[in-house]
Amino acid sequence: MNIILLMKKCLKIIFLALIIYILISNSFNTMESIKFAFKICIDNLFPAIIPFMLMSDILISYNYIEDISTILNKIMIKLFKVSPSASFIFIMSIFSGSPSNAKYINDLLNSNMITIKDGQNCLNFCHFTNPIFILGTIGYTYLQDKRLGLIILISHFTGSIIIGLFNKNNNIYYNYYIKTNDKKSFINILKQSISKTVDTLFLILGVITSFIILTNIIDLIFKIPTNFKFIYGILEISQGLKYLSLANLNIKIKAIIAQGLISFGGICVHMQVFSIINNKKIRYKPYLKARIIHMIISSIITYLIINLLY
């Protein structure tokens, strides 16, 4: 038994040594991968999600969630069979995307405003990619067609909502919470919100950088042809989309593949989500199943709209 454990440790050491050797021997590619990760986060991701993360934390601190939820409470209950407070997650996720949705779910769970079942359902169908990223980065930069960006946006959001309609929890359990009378100053609340947001951003940056370096290592080992490198999007979306833009494929096919990649989310986003929702009873398997279904539904919708309009 000790020999087996020793062999496992030796294999781990050899594996890590091999990775270090690959990174050092290809230091230029490694540095470029890290720069790309930072560029994606700083230029595209962070500016789109920071305002919403700060805003959500401030709204929760001031107990405004109940007031916001009254606007969409009937829709959320009838259509998605979740408690009214979940409407906050739905609205904020539309504008800021994933993994920000995980932060909103985590905050409301910690504040006892939603149940675990609500959190699971919301995580399954509130998976939206940031609209600015879809229209700007995917539509304008990668595909160089604003109309395709709009088609991807509509199809992506529609697919997620369809999952919500069929992923209902028939028994709604409301979590009643007591509004606190603690009078915190706005400065203290803002400082606390900034601190939480920065922690989440560093987590996102770390995970994205790690996965982009991982795809770089895989690329160095397997030498996948350029036309098929978009498959890296299963691991990390931005790398997959970058290689998809370089592939010699029909623009319509590129749009459908791009839709599939963002709707699945990539293992990198999955890891970010479950790193943010830490030590909760929310399960990964239903979330993974929802992402696969989302990928299929949204890709079919994209295909149908493209064939109708183009």
Side-chain angles (χ1 to χ4, degrees):
M1 192 68 180
N2 291 332
I3 295 174
I4 294 173
L5 290 174
L6 182 62
M7 287 179 64
K8 286 182 178 179
K9 288 182 179 180
C10 289
L11 287 173
K12 288 179 181 178
I13 293 170
I14 292 170
F15 179 72
L16 289 173
L18 180 62
I19 290 176
I20 292 170
Y21 170 75
I22 293 171
L23 292 175
I24 293 174
S25 60
N26 296 275
S27 56
F28 177 78
N29 288 333
T30 302
M31 290 300 296
E32 289 300 309
S33 297
I34 294 171
K35 287 179 182 178
F36 178 71
F38 274 69
K39 182 176 175 59
I40 285 290
C41 289
I42 294 171
D43 292 352
N44 301 106
L45 186 59
F46 290 174
I49 65 175
I50 286 174
F52 296 101
M53 283 189 173
L54 289 172
M55 188 193 310
S56 69
D57 205 67
I58 291 170
L59 289 171
I60 293 170
S61 297
Y62 277 115
N63 294 314
Y64 286 147
I65 304 304
E66 186 179 17
D67 299 326
I68 294 172
S69 64
T70 56
I71 301 172
L72 292 176
N73 59 356
K74 291 183 180 179
I75 295 174
M76 297 303 292
I77 293 172
K78 288 183 179 180
L79 290 182
F80 303 121
K81 298 294 183 182
V82 291
S83 60
S85 295
S87 61
F88 173 78
I89 300 168
F90 182 73
I91 295 168
M92 297 297 291
S93 298
I94 285 176
F95 291 106
S96 58
S98 187
S100 300
N101 61 333
K103 182 182 183 300
Y104 309 140
I105 292 169
N106 191 57
D107 289 343
L108 293 192
L109 283 172
N110 289 337
S111 301
N112 204 35
M113 295 181 188
I114 60 171
T115 64
I116 293 293
K117 288 188 176 182
D118 283 333
Q120 182 75 66
N121 284 346
C122 286
L123 188 65
N124 292 346
F125 78 87
C126 291
H127 176 91
F128 301 107
T129 300
N130 186 276
I132 298 172
F133 182 77
I134 293 177
L135 295 173
T137 306
I138 297 176
Y140 185 76
T141 304
Y142 288 143
L143 299 180
Q144 297 182 343
D145 190 322
K146 292 180 180 179
R147 287 195 301 168
L148 285 177
L150 184 59
I151 290 170
I152 290 172
L153 179 69
I154 294 169
S155 304
H156 178 67
F157 277 44
T158 304
S160 198
I161 291 170
I162 288 172
I163 289 173
L165 294 175
F166 288 95
N167 188 35
K168 294 178 180 179
N169 170 28
N170 292 323
N171 299 311
I172 307 174
Y173 299 94
Y174 294 95
N175 264 20
Y176 294 96
Y177 65 98
I178 300 171
K179 287 189 176 183
T180 59
N181 294 319
D182 297 338
K183 297 293 183 180
K184 295 180 181 178
S185 68
F186 178 76
I187 297 299
N188 287 334
I189 289 174
L190 183 61
K191 284 169 62 179
Q192 186 180 35
S193 300
I194 291 172
S195 178
K196 288 181 181 179
T197 300
V198 169
D199 288 343
T200 305
L201 294 177
F202 271 112
L203 173 64
I204 293 171
L205 176 62
V207 175
I208 289 176
T209 303
S210 299
F211 269 84
I212 288 179
I213 291 173
L214 176 62
T215 58
N216 182 49
I217 292 171
I218 294 172
D219 189 46
L220 289 169
I221 295 173
F222 294 101
K223 302 292 183 182
I224 297 174
T226 303
N227 274 3
F228 299 98
K229 284 186 178 181
F230 64 80
I231 198 171
Y232 292 143
I234 295 173
L235 290 175
E236 203 283 318
I237 298 174
S238 57
Q239 280 283 72
L241 292 172
K242 182 185 76 172
Y243 287 123
L244 180 64
S245 67
L246 300 174
N248 186 23
L249 299 172
N250 183 281
I251 191 67
K252 297 178 184 178
I253 295 174
K254 285 186 178 183
I256 295 168
I257 293 172
Q259 178 65 267
L261 292 177
I262 65 170
S263 296
F264 179 70
I267 301 300
C268 177
V269 171
H270 296 194
M271 183 174 288
Q272 291 172 52
V273 165
F274 280 86
S275 295
I276 294 169
I277 303 176
N278 192 22
N279 298 323
K280 299 293 188 297
K281 294 181 180 179
I282 292 177
R283 294 175 296 142
Y284 175 67
K285 189 175 179 181
Y287 174 75
L288 176 61
K289 181 181 176 181
R291 298 288 61 77
I292 294 171
I293 295 171
H294 188 189
M295 176 178 65
I296 295 169
I297 292 173
S298 60
S299 297
I300 291 172
I301 295 171
T302 302
Y303 172 78
L304 293 174
I305 295 176
I306 286 176
N307 281 322
L308 185 66
L309 298 180
Y310 279 78

